[in-house]
Amino acid sequence: MFFLDSLLIKGFRNYQHQQLDFNPRLNILVGENGQGKTNLLESIYYLSVTRSFRTNRDQELVKWEEPFFYLKGTFLKDDFKNDVQVSYSYNHPLKVKINNEPVNRYDHLQQFPVVVFSPDDLMLIREGPSIRRRFLNLEASRLNPVYFKELRAYQRVLQQRNHLLKGFYNRKRDQVNQLLEPWDQSLVSLGSNIIHTRLKIIKSLEKEAKLFFLSMTKASEIFTLQYDCSFDYKVDLKDTNETFMQVLESKREQELKKGATVVGPHLDDLKISINGYDTRKYSSQGQKRTAALALKMAEVSLFKMENNECPIILLDDVFSEFDDSRKMHLLEFLKGSTGQCFISSADGMEKLAKKLNRDSKIVTIRQGRVIDEIGRPGN
Ligand SMILES: Nc1ncnc2c1ncn2[C@@H]1O[C@H](COP(=O)(O)OP(=O)(O)O)[C@@H](O)[C@H]1O
Ligand SMILES: [Mg+2]
């Protein structure tokens, strides 16, 4: 069993100072709009990923007029306590400690898995490629520490290479090729590894999401995921390496003109289709929602398979956005999952708790404070 046992929040969003204990199974956050339900879920997610699901800017997370935020979560894992502490103050790097030992940010990405479902998941389907690349990068990094290291290294190489390309246009081509060679090698080798890890993850995600999608659409619609690559990758990693290098060489003039690297995983996309048609272009609003939900459920399954333990699931206001059929499927999914669950909602969720038939705790939030708690806190 893996769950968040307690949480201390200081100066985060609209929370001044709040201590909370949680139920290992189900926690329901209720309160009017704008009171701090999502903020609370965001703080839990932050402890796991050291990143928000709403913003990339840590400054936004600090309570207005306050100098810093601090979060401390106690996760229980097979009866072992693990304290995760993060603290951030303006213009300083984030500090992270696990069991009082300082660690690098992102070092614990694989250790305390949390998956969030939010109305913003729809953006995964609706928006441009960069949001899906971000999703893939984060998923892969949380499942595979090597991926995270390679991605970092790739981004550094890309930056250096682009910098060089910008200054090279008027130089002799022989000289340019010679100077670029080591960068080309690194770009190709790291980039090909990144592509192949993404392919593996996409395959597993697709397998799971397909099943959820089939059951949600009464076995009538086929959901597929494809890797949309900026060059023609191959099944074999070695062959992908070779092709990538050839394409890169063939684009030399274009790259020098642009002053940027024009092929590679930093430009790729994930194509999400229903019955063979790109969801982004051709699907109805309802199909898009179902696709996003299936993807998220698949994410939970993947974490479960990787860790032999269900991740913590955060559901931010999703029940109010869904129609009855999607609600029912999500409910069935939650019933089947063994993990700890946090559900936020503006309307009373007591009925839902009953349907889930779980031991639960209900927390009422007003203006960044817990004003009422019903139910058992811990086990
Ligand atoms: N950095 C911040 N400092 C103080 N208050 C904030 C900050 N960021 C957001 N808020 C406040 O948090 C509230 C929204 O909280 P949220 O958790 O999104 O509400 P909900 O309960 O509807 O999910 C708003 O009142 C907003 O003004
Ligand atoms: Mg909210």
Side-chain angles (χ1 to χ4, degrees):
M1 185 79 189
F2 160 62
F3 63 94
L4 179 64
D5 189 45
S6 64
L7 173 67
L8 173 61
I9 311 179
K10 283 188 194 172
F12 186 91
R13 294 282 196 189
N14 65 343
Y15 289 85
Q16 183 76 46
H17 185 282
Q18 184 67 55
Q19 170 75 46
L20 287 127
D21 297 305
F22 297 117
N23 184 287
R25 302 284 282 144
L26 176 61
N27 298 276
I28 297 176
L29 315 176
V30 293
E32 311 256 301
N33 277 326
Q35 301 304 310
K37 302 182 295 297
T38 304
N39 295 346
L40 180 57
L41 296 178
E42 191 178 27
S43 74
I44 297 173
Y45 186 85
Y46 197 93
L47 279 170
S48 166
V49 187
T50 55
R51 212 157 124 161
S52 161
F53 57 87
R54 295 204 283 189
T55 174
N56 282 331
R57 293 154 45 87
D58 287 332
Q59 304 92 293
E60 283 175 28
L61 305 173
V62 182
K63 191 173 193 301
W64 300 324
E65 324 270 317
E66 294 290 326
F68 70 93
F69 75 72
Y70 169 83
L71 303 170
K72 178 179 176 178
T74 303
F75 292 90
L76 257 79
K77 228 178 181 176
D78 305 324
D79 293 330
F80 285 104
K81 268 189 187 201
N82 289 284
D83 280 336
V84 181
Q85 294 174 74
V86 298
S87 55
Y88 170 84
S89 52
Y90 292 107
N91 304 323
H92 290 282
L94 184 82
K95 286 194 190 122
V96 185
K97 284 183 185 173
I98 311 272
N99 296 328
N100 281 323
E101 288 290 322
V103 296
N104 289 326
R105 184 176 196 168
Y106 303 123
D107 261 6
H108 68 296
L109 262 185
Q110 294 82 28
Q111 284 187 51
F112 309 102
V114 171
V115 175
V116 61
F117 291 64
S118 100
D120 290 347
D121 294 340
L122 206 53
M123 294 202 304
L124 266 178
I125 312 287
R126 228 166 30 191
E127 306 276 306
S130 68
I131 194 155
R132 282 179 295 282
R133 268 198 304 274
R134 190 185 149 172
F135 169 75
L136 277 180
N137 284 341
L138 192 58
E139 282 318 280
S141 299
R142 294 175 72 190
L143 290 163
N144 179 348
V146 175
Y147 182 90
F148 181 67
K149 288 210 180 82
E150 288 177 336
L151 182 67
R152 277 275 164 108
Y154 180 85
Q155 283 161 346
R156 273 196 299 269
V157 170
L158 184 68
Q159 218 178 12
Q160 294 284 347
R161 195 173 178 276
N162 286 346
H163 184 72
L164 286 175
L165 284 168
K166 278 192 182 69
F168 273 1
Y169 190 68
N170 292 322
R171 286 214 194 185
K172 288 218 180 74
R173 289 302 175 259
D174 276 356
Q175 204 185 6
V176 167
N177 289 340
Q178 206 181 5
L179 287 167
L180 278 178
E181 209 216 282
W183 297 104
D184 288 358
Q185 294 287 355
S186 310
L187 190 87
V188 163
S189 123
L190 291 163
S192 301
N193 286 350
I194 287 170
I195 291 170
H196 278 259
T197 307
R198 285 182 183 172
L199 288 170
K200 240 192 264 164
I201 285 180
I202 291 170
K203 203 168 161 200
S204 319
L205 269 177
E206 186 194 51
K207 192 166 161 239
E208 294 300 309
K210 219 179 198 130
L211 296 175
F212 293 125
F213 202 84
L214 268 180
S215 89
M216 282 191 274
T217 58
K218 304 190 179 67
S220 65
E221 292 180 82
I222 307 291
F223 178 88
T224 46
L225 293 177
Q226 270 171 307
Y227 191 55
D228 194 355
C229 190
S230 50
F231 67 94
D232 195 10
Y233 70 85
K234 304 289 181 233
V235 181
D236 202 68
L237 177 62
K238 232 179 93 218
D239 298 338
T240 299
N241 260 286
E242 267 174 34
T243 315
F244 192 177
M245 189 53 97
Q246 283 162 9
V247 176
L248 205 60
E249 280 162 7
S250 75
K251 303 264 184 192
R252 192 70 96 216
E253 280 309 307
Q254 195 187 337
E255 293 202 315
L256 288 166
K257 229 179 250 167
K258 265 194 140 176
T261 305
V262 300
V263 277
H266 61 289
L267 297 166
D268 295 350
D269 195 359
L270 171 67
K271 197 161 149 206
I272 305 169
S273 310
I274 299 174
N275 291 339
Y277 292 98
D278 188 349
T279 346
R280 192 175 164 210
K281 293 190 195 130
Y282 300 108
S283 294
S284 69
Q285 192 73 354
Q287 282 174 316
K288 286 189 177 119
R289 274 195 202 291
T290 309
L293 183 59
L295 254 187
K296 285 309 205 142
M297 288 171 164
E299 190 184 340
V300 173
S301 294
L302 238 60
F303 279 115
K304 211 191 264 182
M305 284 189 277
E306 195 62 32
N307 305 308
N308 289 321
E309 194 102 69
C310 196
I312 294 171
I313 298 174
L314 312 177
L315 298 177
D316 190 20
D317 234 345
V318 287
F319 281 96
S320 57
E321 299 262 334
F322 284 173
D323 60 16
D324 285 346
S325 151
R326 273 184 220 104
K327 267 185 207 162
M328 195 196 73
H329 278 99
L330 185 53
L331 217 63
E332 286 303 312
F333 177 75
L334 293 178
K335 268 189 190 168
S337 83
T338 48
Q340 185 184 30
C341 204
F342 293 81
I343 302 179
S344 83
S345 170
D347 44 50
M349 294 291 283
E350 290 82 353
K351 259 199 257 161
L352 182 87
K354 266 200 198 114
K355 271 197 196 150
L356 277 170
N357 196 18
R358 273 195 192 181
D359 175 22
S360 64
K361 173 169 181 171
I362 298 173
V363 179
T364 309
I365 293 164
R366 188 189 297 154
Q367 291 181 357
R369 283 161 84 151
V370 171
I371 53 163
D372 192 26
E373 299 176 75
I374 316 170
R376 291 201 306 159
N379 53 348

